[in-house]
Amino acid sequence: MSALRQAWRFLGRMGVASSLLFLLLLVALLAALIPQLPPSIARDPARLAAWLTAAQERWGPVMVILHRWGLLTVYRFPFLAGLLSVLALSTLSCTLSRWRAAWRRALRRAAPPVEFPLSLSPLPADRLRSALRERGYRVRTASGEGTTHLEADRYPLSELATLATHLAVLLLVAACGLSGWLGWQAEVTVRAGEAVPVGGGADLWVRNDSFAIVHSPDGSVADYRAEVALLGGEQEVARGRVRVNHPLRFRGMAVYLWGFQDWEGGMSVTLKVVRDPGAGLALAGGLLLLLGVTASAYLPHRRICARLEPERTLLAVRSSGRDDAAAAELEALVRELGEC
Amino acid sequence: MLTAVYVFLWASLLFYGLHLLAGRRWGAWGGAAGAAAAWLILTGELAVRGVAAGRWPLANRYEFGLCFLWALLGVYLLLEFATSERRWGGFGIAAALVVATMTLARPVEERAISPLTPALRSFWLPIHGLTAAIGYGACTLAGALALMELVRPGGERGAGWPPPERIEQGMGRAASLGFPWLTLSILTGGIWAEAAWGRYWGWDPKETWSLAVWLAYLLFFHLRAARGWRSCRLAGMLVAATALLLFGFAGFPALVRMVRLESLHGF
């Protein structure tokens, strides 16, 4: 039990998280520099064989070795899955061990500083209070035995930004898992006026009603448009125009225009049909990540504490994380108070 | 127009260099004036180009390079204004010159205003492109200041230079400013990719390189906060992250073509 607890604590250390991020960075560089097999091809043995033959012609026999080692499908690499799982555990451990302290700081219940690095000549409490309020701080004061204690906080809720970022990482890892396990995609080529099953276990057919290429006045291609219908049995369940960047969406599924070919009777279109149950979770995770990162970078929690004694004023600033502008703000405050 | 920007940037570099190395006070004002003039000309060029094209000037790597340069100069001027520190101007402007040179080196046909291809006709193009440009600009500036930290002479020879803590603060502020924009650009890229290609993430070489760049900057913040990395080690990490970023902008698309990697991204 003790070993498990130690392992859990070890995972929560920021040094471990940094090492995991470094490994993930190496995997990302590897995946960027080695051609990756599209998932739809990796799942189809016939297309995989054709892709590998073409890849060998292009890059040589090294592709066979890379394929054998799993480096052409890094996204299915057991090492990557393991790395993401350990990163998720590390994030969870870090979050669980720190959320209480972060919450206390966010609610401004953290203990006042014991050291005040800045000592100035005596200042009136009202002047300091109004200067801090003008800078957006919420100020609390307490007096006793000739000394006034002043605590001023700005953006205290950004103490929760790291928790939001960590939660976002967990959501993104979960979204990757959900997309990989439950998502599917298929490419179908449909001639004008014909219908084909969309595949992926969905009891749906897709029909190509028409396809057109729209040109601008200067002759360049302005748009590609396909009119398609989705059929459930004999019934039409959805219909719409599919363009580049504008898929047809229907009950968690989307139909994308993926290509077109000349055909004797007109044009046939290649459509990509996708169901991705992880997309919504990925979007939520991405937004939460953005919120956390932005709050950490732009709205750091700063606390300025002062002890106003009859013969001197002591000042200290504390900030969430490494806030490079905190000292500068304290300097500016001191300048404003005429102490420079 | 970019030639005029280039000239102003060289002049600004010269003035900032005189300020840093020879301690000339007027050098700082000359440098700032040159940088501001270059930024104003770029703003005008981008506005004229956008109006003439009837779209945001983000259709190819030349136009993205102009926006990247515009953002870098804008963030630099903002940082100089916020900190009243002008001694790091030479490094900020040198980074701008590197980006300007990369942009000038683009093929001439990219400079002509061309209509958007259907793939780029999307609500997400200006959002994704601009956020990436701002993120690239601020993070490249952070890398330039990190390089200053690395080459700062010790002892008396470094007397006129900002102290290491000051440079570290500057690079931290620039990286903090840029990182949320990098995050937003990847997020908007994912949303656009879902609308265009049916997946928010596809291990496309350009996407994966962007992730590597983002992870490198994230690692910088982690190492700074968690392991107490400071000065040269931290600066070295940031320079490496910026090298990845600049290679992603200028070198990686060429590498993709050279080794014939398959990418859905135009640039």
Side-chain angles (χ1 to χ4, degrees), chain A residues 73-106:
Chain A
T73 45
V74 166
Y75 48 88
R76 294 204 306 194
F77 211 24
F79 179 70
L80 179 65
L83 189 60
L84 287 176
S85 306
V86 178
L87 183 67
L89 286 175
S90 166
T91 308
L92 195 62
S93 168
C94 179
T95 308
L96 290 178
S97 66
R98 284 164 206 201
W99 76 270
R100 275 178 211 278
W103 191 254
R104 263 200 305 272
R105 288 196 301 271

PDB file of all heavy atoms in Angstrom, chain A residues 73-106:
ATOM      1  N   THR A  73       2.564   4.210 -38.041  1.00  0.00           N
ATOM      2  CA  THR A  73       1.271   4.440 -37.372  1.00  0.00           C
ATOM      3  C   THR A  73       1.559   4.803 -35.918  1.00  0.00           C
ATOM      4  O   THR A  73       1.188   4.069 -35.002  1.00  0.00           O
ATOM      5  CB  THR A  73       0.376   3.177 -37.444  1.00  0.00           C
ATOM      6  OG1 THR A  73       1.200   2.045 -37.108  1.00  0.00           O
ATOM      7  CG2 THR A  73      -0.244   2.983 -38.798  1.00  0.00           C
ATOM      8  N   VAL A  74       2.232   5.932 -35.749  1.00  0.00           N
ATOM      9  CA  VAL A  74       2.619   6.352 -34.390  1.00  0.00           C
ATOM     10  C   VAL A  74       1.388   6.504 -33.506  1.00  0.00           C
ATOM     11  O   VAL A  74       1.423   6.225 -32.314  1.00  0.00           O
ATOM     12  CB  VAL A  74       3.456   7.649 -34.454  1.00  0.00           C
ATOM     13  CG1 VAL A  74       3.576   8.296 -33.098  1.00  0.00           C
ATOM     14  CG2 VAL A  74       4.838   7.352 -35.006  1.00  0.00           C
ATOM     15  N   TYR A  75       0.266   6.933 -34.124  1.00  0.00           N
ATOM     16  CA  TYR A  75      -0.955   7.140 -33.345  1.00  0.00           C
ATOM     17  C   TYR A  75      -1.483   5.818 -32.767  1.00  0.00           C
ATOM     18  O   TYR A  75      -2.314   5.815 -31.866  1.00  0.00           O
ATOM     19  CB  TYR A  75      -2.040   7.824 -34.196  1.00  0.00           C
ATOM     20  CG  TYR A  75      -2.242   7.191 -35.551  1.00  0.00           C
ATOM     21  CD1 TYR A  75      -3.112   6.141 -35.734  1.00  0.00           C
ATOM     22  CD2 TYR A  75      -1.530   7.666 -36.660  1.00  0.00           C
ATOM     23  CE1 TYR A  75      -3.279   5.555 -36.963  1.00  0.00           C
ATOM     24  CE2 TYR A  75      -1.687   7.085 -37.897  1.00  0.00           C
ATOM     25  CZ  TYR A  75      -2.567   6.019 -38.053  1.00  0.00           C
ATOM     26  OH  TYR A  75      -2.706   5.435 -39.280  1.00  0.00           O
ATOM     27  N   ARG A  76      -1.018   4.672 -33.341  1.00  0.00           N
ATOM     28  CA  ARG A  76      -1.428   3.373 -32.779  1.00  0.00           C
ATOM     29  C   ARG A  76      -0.271   2.705 -32.034  1.00  0.00           C
ATOM     30  O   ARG A  76      -0.333   1.550 -31.669  1.00  0.00           O
ATOM     31  CB  ARG A  76      -1.925   2.449 -33.894  1.00  0.00           C
ATOM     32  CG  ARG A  76      -3.188   2.960 -34.538  1.00  0.00           C
ATOM     33  CD  ARG A  76      -3.987   1.860 -35.180  1.00  0.00           C
ATOM     34  NE  ARG A  76      -3.223   1.071 -36.124  1.00  0.00           N
ATOM     35  CZ  ARG A  76      -3.764   0.242 -37.004  1.00  0.00           C
ATOM     36  NH1 ARG A  76      -5.077   0.122 -37.053  1.00  0.00           N
ATOM     37  NH2 ARG A  76      -3.025  -0.453 -37.831  1.00  0.00           N
ATOM     38  N   PHE A  77       0.802   3.471 -31.879  1.00  0.00           N
ATOM     39  CA  PHE A  77       2.022   3.003 -31.224  1.00  0.00           C
ATOM     40  C   PHE A  77       1.694   2.677 -29.764  1.00  0.00           C
ATOM     41  O   PHE A  77       1.196   3.536 -29.045  1.00  0.00           O
ATOM     42  CB  PHE A  77       2.992   4.190 -31.262  1.00  0.00           C
ATOM     43  CG  PHE A  77       4.447   3.838 -31.336  1.00  0.00           C
ATOM     44  CD1 PHE A  77       4.882   2.638 -31.836  1.00  0.00           C
ATOM     45  CD2 PHE A  77       5.395   4.763 -30.904  1.00  0.00           C
ATOM     46  CE1 PHE A  77       6.224   2.361 -31.914  1.00  0.00           C
ATOM     47  CE2 PHE A  77       6.733   4.488 -30.982  1.00  0.00           C
ATOM     48  CZ  PHE A  77       7.146   3.284 -31.487  1.00  0.00           C
ATOM     49  N   PRO A  78       1.966   1.442 -29.274  1.00  0.00           N
ATOM     50  CA  PRO A  78       1.671   1.141 -27.859  1.00  0.00           C
ATOM     51  C   PRO A  78       2.403   2.101 -26.920  1.00  0.00           C
ATOM     52  O   PRO A  78       1.887   2.478 -25.874  1.00  0.00           O
ATOM     53  CB  PRO A  78       2.182  -0.292 -27.691  1.00  0.00           C
ATOM     54  CG  PRO A  78       2.240  -0.860 -29.056  1.00  0.00           C
ATOM     55  CD  PRO A  78       2.492   0.275 -29.988  1.00  0.00           C
ATOM     56  N   PHE A  79       3.620   2.530 -27.352  1.00  0.00           N
ATOM     57  CA  PHE A  79       4.390   3.451 -26.509  1.00  0.00           C
ATOM     58  C   PHE A  79       3.628   4.770 -26.309  1.00  0.00           C
ATOM     59  O   PHE A  79       3.587   5.318 -25.208  1.00  0.00           O
ATOM     60  CB  PHE A  79       5.750   3.713 -27.161  1.00  0.00           C
ATOM     61  CG  PHE A  79       6.617   4.668 -26.405  1.00  0.00           C
ATOM     62  CD1 PHE A  79       7.175   4.302 -25.191  1.00  0.00           C
ATOM     63  CD2 PHE A  79       6.858   5.949 -26.881  1.00  0.00           C
ATOM     64  CE1 PHE A  79       7.968   5.184 -24.476  1.00  0.00           C
ATOM     65  CE2 PHE A  79       7.651   6.835 -26.171  1.00  0.00           C
ATOM     66  CZ  PHE A  79       8.207   6.445 -24.971  1.00  0.00           C
ATOM     67  N   LEU A  80       2.995   5.266 -27.413  1.00  0.00           N
ATOM     68  CA  LEU A  80       2.253   6.529 -27.310  1.00  0.00           C
ATOM     69  C   LEU A  80       1.045   6.357 -26.393  1.00  0.00           C
ATOM     70  O   LEU A  80       0.777   7.225 -25.549  1.00  0.00           O
ATOM     71  CB  LEU A  80       1.814   7.008 -28.697  1.00  0.00           C
ATOM     72  CG  LEU A  80       1.002   8.298 -28.710  1.00  0.00           C
ATOM     73  CD1 LEU A  80       1.834   9.480 -28.219  1.00  0.00           C
ATOM     74  CD2 LEU A  80       0.456   8.602 -30.091  1.00  0.00           C
ATOM     75  N   ALA A  81       0.333   5.230 -26.563  1.00  0.00           N
ATOM     76  CA  ALA A  81      -0.838   4.983 -25.703  1.00  0.00           C
ATOM     77  C   ALA A  81      -0.400   4.919 -24.241  1.00  0.00           C
ATOM     78  O   ALA A  81      -1.042   5.500 -23.354  1.00  0.00           O
ATOM     79  CB  ALA A  81      -1.517   3.683 -26.121  1.00  0.00           C
ATOM     80  N   GLY A  82       0.736   4.226 -23.998  1.00  0.00           N
ATOM     81  CA  GLY A  82       1.257   4.119 -22.635  1.00  0.00           C
ATOM     82  C   GLY A  82       1.669   5.482 -22.097  1.00  0.00           C
ATOM     83  O   GLY A  82       1.351   5.842 -20.961  1.00  0.00           O
ATOM     84  N   LEU A  83       2.330   6.255 -22.956  1.00  0.00           N
ATOM     85  CA  LEU A  83       2.804   7.590 -22.557  1.00  0.00           C
ATOM     86  C   LEU A  83       1.628   8.496 -22.185  1.00  0.00           C
ATOM     87  O   LEU A  83       1.643   9.182 -21.150  1.00  0.00           O
ATOM     88  CB  LEU A  83       3.602   8.193 -23.726  1.00  0.00           C
ATOM     89  CG  LEU A  83       4.361   9.478 -23.470  1.00  0.00           C
ATOM     90  CD1 LEU A  83       5.378   9.278 -22.362  1.00  0.00           C
ATOM     91  CD2 LEU A  83       5.064   9.926 -24.742  1.00  0.00           C
ATOM     92  N   LEU A  84       0.580   8.461 -23.037  1.00  0.00           N
ATOM     93  CA  LEU A  84      -0.591   9.302 -22.761  1.00  0.00           C
ATOM     94  C   LEU A  84      -1.295   8.842 -21.486  1.00  0.00           C
ATOM     95  O   LEU A  84      -1.785   9.674 -20.716  1.00  0.00           O
ATOM     96  CB  LEU A  84      -1.555   9.272 -23.952  1.00  0.00           C
ATOM     97  CG  LEU A  84      -1.100  10.050 -25.190  1.00  0.00           C
ATOM     98  CD1 LEU A  84      -2.086   9.871 -26.340  1.00  0.00           C
ATOM     99  CD2 LEU A  84      -0.947  11.533 -24.897  1.00  0.00           C
ATOM    100  N   SER A  85      -1.317   7.524 -21.269  1.00  0.00           N
ATOM    101  CA  SER A  85      -1.967   7.009 -20.049  1.00  0.00           C
ATOM    102  C   SER A  85      -1.197   7.462 -18.806  1.00  0.00           C
ATOM    103  O   SER A  85      -1.793   7.919 -17.821  1.00  0.00           O
ATOM    104  CB  SER A  85      -2.028   5.482 -20.073  1.00  0.00           C
ATOM    105  OG  SER A  85      -2.646   5.052 -21.243  1.00  0.00           O
ATOM    106  N   VAL A  86       0.139   7.337 -18.866  1.00  0.00           N
ATOM    107  CA  VAL A  86       0.947   7.749 -17.706  1.00  0.00           C
ATOM    108  C   VAL A  86       0.830   9.265 -17.495  1.00  0.00           C
ATOM    109  O   VAL A  86       0.740   9.744 -16.359  1.00  0.00           O
ATOM    110  CB  VAL A  86       2.428   7.321 -17.878  1.00  0.00           C
ATOM    111  CG1 VAL A  86       3.274   7.782 -16.707  1.00  0.00           C
ATOM    112  CG2 VAL A  86       2.535   5.816 -18.004  1.00  0.00           C
ATOM    113  N   LEU A  87       0.785  10.022 -18.612  1.00  0.00           N
ATOM    114  CA  LEU A  87       0.628  11.481 -18.508  1.00  0.00           C
ATOM    115  C   LEU A  87      -0.710  11.813 -17.846  1.00  0.00           C
ATOM    116  O   LEU A  87      -0.785  12.720 -16.999  1.00  0.00           O
ATOM    117  CB  LEU A  87       0.726  12.121 -19.897  1.00  0.00           C
ATOM    118  CG  LEU A  87       0.660  13.643 -19.942  1.00  0.00           C
ATOM    119  CD1 LEU A  87       1.890  14.259 -19.274  1.00  0.00           C
ATOM    120  CD2 LEU A  87       0.553  14.153 -21.367  1.00  0.00           C
ATOM    121  N   ALA A  88      -1.756  11.071 -18.230  1.00  0.00           N
ATOM    122  CA  ALA A  88      -3.077  11.304 -17.627  1.00  0.00           C
ATOM    123  C   ALA A  88      -3.020  11.006 -16.123  1.00  0.00           C
ATOM    124  O   ALA A  88      -3.538  11.778 -15.311  1.00  0.00           O
ATOM    125  CB  ALA A  88      -4.123  10.434 -18.312  1.00  0.00           C
ATOM    126  N   LEU A  89      -2.364   9.898 -15.745  1.00  0.00           N
ATOM    127  CA  LEU A  89      -2.251   9.549 -14.317  1.00  0.00           C
ATOM    128  C   LEU A  89      -1.437  10.598 -13.567  1.00  0.00           C
ATOM    129  O   LEU A  89      -1.783  10.996 -12.449  1.00  0.00           O
ATOM    130  CB  LEU A  89      -1.590   8.168 -14.165  1.00  0.00           C
ATOM    131  CG  LEU A  89      -2.461   6.966 -14.514  1.00  0.00           C
ATOM    132  CD1 LEU A  89      -1.642   5.687 -14.438  1.00  0.00           C
ATOM    133  CD2 LEU A  89      -3.647   6.881 -13.559  1.00  0.00           C
ATOM    134  N   SER A  90      -0.357  11.040 -14.201  1.00  0.00           N
ATOM    135  CA  SER A  90       0.506  12.054 -13.575  1.00  0.00           C
ATOM    136  C   SER A  90      -0.276  13.353 -13.354  1.00  0.00           C
ATOM    137  O   SER A  90      -0.192  13.974 -12.292  1.00  0.00           O
ATOM    138  CB  SER A  90       1.724  12.292 -14.484  1.00  0.00           C
ATOM    139  OG  SER A  90       2.389  13.453 -14.109  1.00  0.00           O
ATOM    140  N   THR A  91      -1.055  13.733 -14.366  1.00  0.00           N
ATOM    141  CA  THR A  91      -1.868  14.954 -14.267  1.00  0.00           C
ATOM    142  C   THR A  91      -2.895  14.808 -13.148  1.00  0.00           C
ATOM    143  O   THR A  91      -3.110  15.735 -12.355  1.00  0.00           O
ATOM    144  CB  THR A  91      -2.588  15.201 -15.610  1.00  0.00           C
ATOM    145  OG1 THR A  91      -1.611  15.176 -16.636  1.00  0.00           O
ATOM    146  CG2 THR A  91      -3.291  16.528 -15.637  1.00  0.00           C
ATOM    147  N   LEU A  92      -3.518  13.625 -13.080  1.00  0.00           N
ATOM    148  CA  LEU A  92      -4.538  13.384 -12.058  1.00  0.00           C
ATOM    149  C   LEU A  92      -3.916  13.445 -10.660  1.00  0.00           C
ATOM    150  O   LEU A  92      -4.456  14.091  -9.752  1.00  0.00           O
ATOM    151  CB  LEU A  92      -5.161  11.994 -12.303  1.00  0.00           C
ATOM    152  CG  LEU A  92      -6.456  11.695 -11.577  1.00  0.00           C
ATOM    153  CD1 LEU A  92      -7.552  12.648 -12.014  1.00  0.00           C
ATOM    154  CD2 LEU A  92      -6.899  10.256 -11.839  1.00  0.00           C
ATOM    155  N   SER A  93      -2.761  12.798 -10.517  1.00  0.00           N
ATOM    156  CA  SER A  93      -2.096  12.785  -9.213  1.00  0.00           C
ATOM    157  C   SER A  93      -1.706  14.202  -8.791  1.00  0.00           C
ATOM    158  O   SER A  93      -1.933  14.609  -7.651  1.00  0.00           O
ATOM    159  CB  SER A  93      -0.853  11.891  -9.292  1.00  0.00           C
ATOM    160  OG  SER A  93      -0.069  12.071  -8.150  1.00  0.00           O
ATOM    161  N   CYS A  94      -1.155  14.949  -9.747  1.00  0.00           N
ATOM    162  CA  CYS A  94      -0.731  16.335  -9.469  1.00  0.00           C
ATOM    163  C   CYS A  94      -1.944  17.183  -9.064  1.00  0.00           C
ATOM    164  O   CYS A  94      -1.891  17.948  -8.109  1.00  0.00           O
ATOM    165  CB  CYS A  94      -0.056  16.905 -10.715  1.00  0.00           C
ATOM    166  SG  CYS A  94       0.469  18.586 -10.531  1.00  0.00           S
ATOM    167  N   THR A  95      -3.041  17.002  -9.804  1.00  0.00           N
ATOM    168  CA  THR A  95      -4.251  17.795  -9.535  1.00  0.00           C
ATOM    169  C   THR A  95      -4.825  17.456  -8.156  1.00  0.00           C
ATOM    170  O   THR A  95      -5.149  18.358  -7.379  1.00  0.00           O
ATOM    171  CB  THR A  95      -5.311  17.513 -10.623  1.00  0.00           C
ATOM    172  OG1 THR A  95      -4.698  17.708 -11.887  1.00  0.00           O
ATOM    173  CG2 THR A  95      -6.506  18.431 -10.485  1.00  0.00           C
ATOM    174  N   LEU A  96      -4.925  16.155  -7.864  1.00  0.00           N
ATOM    175  CA  LEU A  96      -5.533  15.755  -6.592  1.00  0.00           C
ATOM    176  C   LEU A  96      -4.694  16.200  -5.399  1.00  0.00           C
ATOM    177  O   LEU A  96      -5.237  16.511  -4.333  1.00  0.00           O
ATOM    178  CB  LEU A  96      -5.727  14.230  -6.558  1.00  0.00           C
ATOM    179  CG  LEU A  96      -6.809  13.701  -7.506  1.00  0.00           C
ATOM    180  CD1 LEU A  96      -6.882  12.183  -7.445  1.00  0.00           C
ATOM    181  CD2 LEU A  96      -8.178  14.303  -7.183  1.00  0.00           C
ATOM    182  N   SER A  97      -3.365  16.247  -5.591  1.00  0.00           N
ATOM    183  CA  SER A  97      -2.533  16.626  -4.449  1.00  0.00           C
ATOM    184  C   SER A  97      -2.482  18.150  -4.244  1.00  0.00           C
ATOM    185  O   SER A  97      -2.074  18.604  -3.196  1.00  0.00           O
ATOM    186  CB  SER A  97      -1.118  16.072  -4.632  1.00  0.00           C
ATOM    187  OG  SER A  97      -0.516  16.695  -5.738  1.00  0.00           O
ATOM    188  N   ARG A  98      -2.879  18.906  -5.249  1.00  0.00           N
ATOM    189  CA  ARG A  98      -2.740  20.361  -5.117  1.00  0.00           C
ATOM    190  C   ARG A  98      -4.035  21.146  -5.090  1.00  0.00           C
ATOM    191  O   ARG A  98      -4.004  22.351  -4.889  1.00  0.00           O
ATOM    192  CB  ARG A  98      -1.893  20.889  -6.291  1.00  0.00           C
ATOM    193  CG  ARG A  98      -0.439  20.573  -6.061  1.00  0.00           C
ATOM    194  CD  ARG A  98       0.375  20.688  -7.267  1.00  0.00           C
ATOM    195  NE  ARG A  98       1.519  19.786  -7.070  1.00  0.00           N
ATOM    196  CZ  ARG A  98       2.634  19.857  -7.693  1.00  0.00           C
ATOM    197  NH1 ARG A  98       2.808  20.778  -8.571  1.00  0.00           N
ATOM    198  NH2 ARG A  98       3.608  19.019  -7.448  1.00  0.00           N
ATOM    199  N   TRP A  99      -5.173  20.481  -5.358  1.00  0.00           N
ATOM    200  CA  TRP A  99      -6.383  21.282  -5.534  1.00  0.00           C
ATOM    201  C   TRP A  99      -6.814  21.991  -4.256  1.00  0.00           C
ATOM    202  O   TRP A  99      -7.310  23.109  -4.306  1.00  0.00           O
ATOM    203  CB  TRP A  99      -7.522  20.444  -6.126  1.00  0.00           C
ATOM    204  CG  TRP A  99      -8.196  19.518  -5.167  1.00  0.00           C
ATOM    205  CD1 TRP A  99      -7.854  18.237  -4.896  1.00  0.00           C
ATOM    206  CD2 TRP A  99      -9.326  19.817  -4.346  1.00  0.00           C
ATOM    207  NE1 TRP A  99      -8.681  17.706  -3.957  1.00  0.00           N
ATOM    208  CE2 TRP A  99      -9.605  18.646  -3.598  1.00  0.00           C
ATOM    209  CE3 TRP A  99     -10.125  20.934  -4.159  1.00  0.00           C
ATOM    210  CZ2 TRP A  99     -10.643  18.587  -2.692  1.00  0.00           C
ATOM    211  CZ3 TRP A  99     -11.163  20.871  -3.249  1.00  0.00           C
ATOM    212  CH2 TRP A  99     -11.418  19.717  -2.526  1.00  0.00           C
ATOM    213  N   ARG A 100      -6.562  21.371  -3.092  1.00  0.00           N
ATOM    214  CA  ARG A 100      -6.973  22.001  -1.832  1.00  0.00           C
ATOM    215  C   ARG A 100      -6.238  23.326  -1.611  1.00  0.00           C
ATOM    216  O   ARG A 100      -6.849  24.353  -1.306  1.00  0.00           O
ATOM    217  CB  ARG A 100      -6.683  21.080  -0.651  1.00  0.00           C
ATOM    218  CG  ARG A 100      -7.756  20.079  -0.389  1.00  0.00           C
ATOM    219  CD  ARG A 100      -7.337  19.178   0.779  1.00  0.00           C
ATOM    220  NE  ARG A 100      -7.880  17.860   0.631  1.00  0.00           N
ATOM    221  CZ  ARG A 100      -9.109  17.516   0.971  1.00  0.00           C
ATOM    222  NH1 ARG A 100      -9.920  18.403   1.490  1.00  0.00           N
ATOM    223  NH2 ARG A 100      -9.539  16.289   0.802  1.00  0.00           N
ATOM    224  N   ALA A 101      -4.918  23.271  -1.832  1.00  0.00           N
ATOM    225  CA  ALA A 101      -4.114  24.491  -1.634  1.00  0.00           C
ATOM    226  C   ALA A 101      -4.506  25.563  -2.641  1.00  0.00           C
ATOM    227  O   ALA A 101      -4.631  26.750  -2.288  1.00  0.00           O
ATOM    228  CB  ALA A 101      -2.631  24.149  -1.773  1.00  0.00           C
ATOM    229  N   ALA A 102      -4.729  25.142  -3.904  1.00  0.00           N
ATOM    230  CA  ALA A 102      -5.122  26.111  -4.937  1.00  0.00           C
ATOM    231  C   ALA A 102      -6.474  26.730  -4.587  1.00  0.00           C
ATOM    232  O   ALA A 102      -6.679  27.933  -4.752  1.00  0.00           O
ATOM    233  CB  ALA A 102      -5.187  25.416  -6.295  1.00  0.00           C
ATOM    234  N   TRP A 103      -7.374  25.904  -4.100  1.00  0.00           N
ATOM    235  CA  TRP A 103      -8.711  26.385  -3.722  1.00  0.00           C
ATOM    236  C   TRP A 103      -8.619  27.401  -2.588  1.00  0.00           C
ATOM    237  O   TRP A 103      -9.292  28.426  -2.604  1.00  0.00           O
ATOM    238  CB  TRP A 103      -9.564  25.171  -3.320  1.00  0.00           C
ATOM    239  CG  TRP A 103     -11.013  25.487  -3.172  1.00  0.00           C
ATOM    240  CD1 TRP A 103     -11.707  25.601  -2.019  1.00  0.00           C
ATOM    241  CD2 TRP A 103     -11.938  25.736  -4.233  1.00  0.00           C
ATOM    242  NE1 TRP A 103     -13.012  25.908  -2.274  1.00  0.00           N
ATOM    243  CE2 TRP A 103     -13.192  26.007  -3.629  1.00  0.00           C
ATOM    244  CE3 TRP A 103     -11.842  25.790  -5.618  1.00  0.00           C
ATOM    245  CZ2 TRP A 103     -14.335  26.305  -4.374  1.00  0.00           C
ATOM    246  CZ3 TRP A 103     -12.980  26.076  -6.361  1.00  0.00           C
ATOM    247  CH2 TRP A 103     -14.196  26.332  -5.738  1.00  0.00           C
ATOM    248  N   ARG A 104      -7.761  27.094  -1.593  1.00  0.00           N
ATOM    249  CA  ARG A 104      -7.572  28.022  -0.451  1.00  0.00           C
ATOM    250  C   ARG A 104      -7.045  29.367  -0.943  1.00  0.00           C
ATOM    251  O   ARG A 104      -7.506  30.415  -0.533  1.00  0.00           O
ATOM    252  CB  ARG A 104      -6.593  27.423   0.559  1.00  0.00           C
ATOM    253  CG  ARG A 104      -7.281  26.711   1.717  1.00  0.00           C
ATOM    254  CD  ARG A 104      -6.350  26.562   2.905  1.00  0.00           C
ATOM    255  NE  ARG A 104      -5.105  25.900   2.560  1.00  0.00           N
ATOM    256  CZ  ARG A 104      -4.917  24.586   2.570  1.00  0.00           C
ATOM    257  NH1 ARG A 104      -5.913  23.797   2.906  1.00  0.00           N
ATOM    258  NH2 ARG A 104      -3.759  24.068   2.250  1.00  0.00           N
ATOM    259  N   ARG A 105      -6.065  29.289  -1.866  1.00  0.00           N
ATOM    260  CA  ARG A 105      -5.496  30.545  -2.391  1.00  0.00           C
ATOM    261  C   ARG A 105      -6.544  31.306  -3.200  1.00  0.00           C
ATOM    262  O   ARG A 105      -6.621  32.527  -3.143  1.00  0.00           O
ATOM    263  CB  ARG A 105      -4.267  30.254  -3.250  1.00  0.00           C
ATOM    264  CG  ARG A 105      -3.042  29.813  -2.454  1.00  0.00           C
ATOM    265  CD  ARG A 105      -1.788  29.911  -3.291  1.00  0.00           C
ATOM    266  NE  ARG A 105      -1.864  29.092  -4.484  1.00  0.00           N
ATOM    267  CZ  ARG A 105      -1.488  27.810  -4.548  1.00  0.00           C
ATOM    268  NH1 ARG A 105      -1.005  27.213  -3.476  1.00  0.00           N
ATOM    269  NH2 ARG A 105      -1.593  27.135  -5.663  1.00  0.00           N
ATOM    270  N   ALA A 106      -7.365  30.571  -3.966  1.00  0.00           N
ATOM    271  CA  ALA A 106      -8.396  31.215  -4.781  1.00  0.00           C
ATOM    272  C   ALA A 106      -9.427  31.917  -3.906  1.00  0.00           C
ATOM    273  O   ALA A 106      -9.961  32.960  -4.268  1.00  0.00           O
ATOM    274  CB  ALA A 106      -9.072  30.192  -5.680  1.00  0.00           C
TER     275      ALA A 106
END
